[in-house]
Amino acid sequence: MKTRTFLAVVLSVLLLAVINISGSQAQSAADILQQVNQFRINNGLPPLQYNSALAAAAQNQANFMAEFQVFSSHTGYGGSTPLSRARASGYGGRVSENIVGGTGLSAPAGLRWWINSPVHYRTLITTQYTEAGTGFATDGSINYYVLVVGQPGNAPPPANAAPANPAPLFVTPITLAEPAEDGSITHVMQDGQALWTLAAYYDVPLSDLLLYNNLKEDAFVQPGDEIIIRLADGQPPPPTPTPPTAHVVQEGQSLWSIAALYDVKIGDIMLYNNLTENSILKPGDEVKIRLLPGETPPPTPTPPLTHVVQAGQTLWDIALTYNLDLNGLLALNEGMSADTIIKPGDELWIRPQPPTPAPTETPAPATAPAATIQPTLTPVPQVTATAVALTLSSATNDPPPEPTPAAVTDTAVSRLNPLVGGVMLLIVGLLALGGAGILVLRRSY
């Protein structure tokens, strides 16, 4: 019974160790992909979409190198190549592979080595490949990172595509120089060392090394040369040379080599010159590499808000592609859970949705009030006492009394239009004659 219990405990410990190692590998592989995609985003490039088949191919090679401590080529188990490993994992398309390894090498440091190596740098900033997978393994002291980029389909790569499978990078151990009493650090160059390897190993920008040592990008260094890595405490750095704003293309140069030459982002060069990575440069072309003081940069492309699901992708794949965790992706897509089945063509939110503008109320057109028909009233002439007196005077042949100015003013006739007033006077006169006639007839009778 004790033996069985002991064996069960040992198996449990081994199982937990395997689980921890597997989880650590997955996390480290995810770390290097996130580092690569963040570098691309910082350079104005879209992130590489995670592909599980490419990740399986990358992990296969990482395991091979850690198992046999082989770091000389891209050849793997059974003489496999990056393309054959991708095919065996179920990927259909062309691929390219980056490898880096070193003692205790971290994911950010591994990325820095790729950035400082022009041939590996070109793979990082390529637009000829849109998908990627990463692998990580360790033999206990040396960490190995593998990046496999791919493009679905069987079309041949363009002439200016990133080189397939650049030579693996192995971080040659370098003995770090100890700081002097004043805090400065000086490194003595050894065989096989270069400025960019010093920059990567000491984790300082290459541009700082060039500035501190008054060197140009193409400067040649040899064993025994002393290179200033860090200035003394309080020592002001040399004045920075005024950087040029334009570059005249030379024979054999490309966008990525020009960006590396001036330590600028290739995305900025493409933005300033309205170019893509596929643009062909000719010797003599002038390329803007920096903005003039006070010059307004062109508008940067708006990052996508949604992702269209491709065949074979999972929610976890998409989350990793855009530097999200699964819960973050689910939170952006209301009503979705980890068990939701997604299909090619589905559109998922990868960034917060823009706020919906509040609907603006269109004021209703003002209703014109119903027309009110006002009857036109014809003023009725009023016969005043003066008019009666005129009538009676005419009937009796007595001279009419002289009207007073006030009486004439108060009559309706005097307030009417002259034409209307004349008509009214005529009517009044006829009425008066008729009344006089009636009076005469009555008298005669």
Side-chain angles (χ1 to χ4, degrees):
M1 177 66 81
K2 292 182 179 179
T3 302
R4 291 181 179 178
T5 303
F6 175 75
L7 290 176
V9 171
V10 170
L11 289 175
S12 299
V13 172
L14 290 176
L15 180 60
L16 289 175
V18 170
I19 293 175
N20 288 336
I21 292 174
S22 177
S24 175
Q25 286 180 334
Q27 182 60 47
S28 297
D31 287 344
I32 193 68
L33 180 58
Q34 290 179 351
Q35 292 284 330
V36 169
N37 276 339
Q38 188 60 54
F39 172 76
R40 288 176 61 85
I41 292 172
N42 292 343
N43 280 272
L45 299 170
L48 295 168
Q49 298 182 17
Y50 175 86
N51 183 279
S52 56
L54 293 178
Q59 189 60 51
N60 181 285
Q61 181 62 7
N63 293 340
F64 172 81
M65 292 190 298
E67 180 179 351
F68 296 98
Q69 296 184 337
V70 174
F71 208 95
S72 58
S73 69
H74 291 271
T75 304
Y77 292 110
S80 65
T81 65
L83 183 59
S84 66
R85 289 191 290 271
R87 291 286 187 269
S89 299
Y91 189 80
R94 48 190 173 86
V95 301
S96 180
E97 185 178 77
N98 269 9
I99 293 173
V100 66
T103 303
L105 190 68
S106 65
L111 174 63
R112 182 178 292 279
W113 278 89
W114 283 337
I115 293 173
N116 286 333
S117 169
V119 67
H120 294 84
Y121 176 80
R122 190 171 181 182
T123 301
L124 297 177
I125 54 86
T126 182
T127 57
Q128 302 298 335
Y129 298 92
T130 58
E131 299 178 333
T134 49
F136 167 81
T138 181
D139 62 8
S141 60
I142 299 177
N143 295 335
Y144 301 87
Y145 295 92
V146 179
L147 166 70
V148 180
V149 295
Q151 180 63 28
N154 297 318
N160 62 340
N165 315 318
L169 281 174
F170 183 72
V171 181
T172 304
I174 295 178
T175 302
L176 295 178
E178 293 293 333
E181 293 183 0
D182 59 2
S184 63
I185 297 177
T186 302
H187 179 89
V188 180
M189 298 294 295
Q190 306 297 322
D191 287 333
Q193 296 178 356
L195 288 175
W196 70 268
T197 59
L198 292 185
Y201 206 86
Y202 281 96
D203 196 19
V204 295
L206 178 59
S207 57
D208 286 356
L209 296 186
L210 298 176
L211 177 64
Y212 299 161
N213 296 275
N214 193 25
L215 297 173
K216 295 183 179 180
E217 291 82 359
D218 55 354
F220 177 76
V221 292
Q222 54 189 354
D225 288 346
E226 294 186 352
I227 302 299
I228 299 174
I229 304 297
R230 192 174 76 186
L231 299 174
D233 295 336
Q235 179 182 355
T240 304
T242 303
T245 59
H247 171 80
V248 178
V249 179
Q250 306 298 316
E251 185 71 35
Q253 289 185 328
S254 62
L255 285 174
W256 68 267
S257 63
I258 295 172
L261 179 63
Y262 291 98
D263 193 23
V264 296
K265 298 177 181 179
I266 188 173
D268 288 346
I269 296 181
M270 291 189 291
L271 179 65
Y272 300 157
N273 298 276
N274 193 26
L275 299 173
T276 67
E277 193 196 357
N278 300 327
S279 299
I280 298 176
L281 300 180
K282 301 185 297 296
D285 289 347
E286 185 171 316
V287 177
K288 180 186 286 291
I289 56 175
R290 292 183 180 87
L291 297 176
L292 295 170
E295 183 178 359
T296 303
T300 55
T302 303
L305 295 175
T306 60
H307 170 81
V308 178
V309 178
Q310 306 298 317
Q313 288 187 327
T314 65
L315 290 173
W316 189 86
D317 298 343
I318 297 170
L320 185 58
T321 294
Y322 295 99
N323 202 19
L324 299 169
D325 56 28
L326 183 58
N327 291 332
L329 180 64
L330 297 177
L332 293 172
N333 295 271
E334 186 177 355
M336 182 174 287
S337 68
D339 300 327
T340 301
I341 298 176
I342 56 176
K343 305 180 297 298
D346 289 348
E347 191 170 7
L348 304 181
W349 290 98
I350 56 174
R351 287 183 176 81
Q353 302 181 31
T356 304
T360 55
E361 297 183 359
T362 304
T367 305
T372 303
I373 300 176
Q374 296 288 346
T376 302
L377 301 178
T378 304
V380 178
Q382 298 181 358
V383 179
T384 61
T386 305
V388 175
L390 288 173
T391 303
L392 293 177
S393 299
S394 300
T396 55
N397 294 323
D398 294 331
E402 292 293 333
T404 62
V408 174
T409 303
D410 290 341
T411 59
V413 177
S414 65
R415 292 194 302 268
L416 297 177
N417 182 283
L419 179 60
V420 177
V423 174
M424 294 303 298
L425 288 175
L426 178 61
I427 294 173
V428 172
L430 292 175
L431 291 175
L433 291 176
I438 292 172
L439 289 176
V440 171
L441 287 175
R442 284 182 176 179
R443 289 181 178 181
S444 302
Y445 180 80

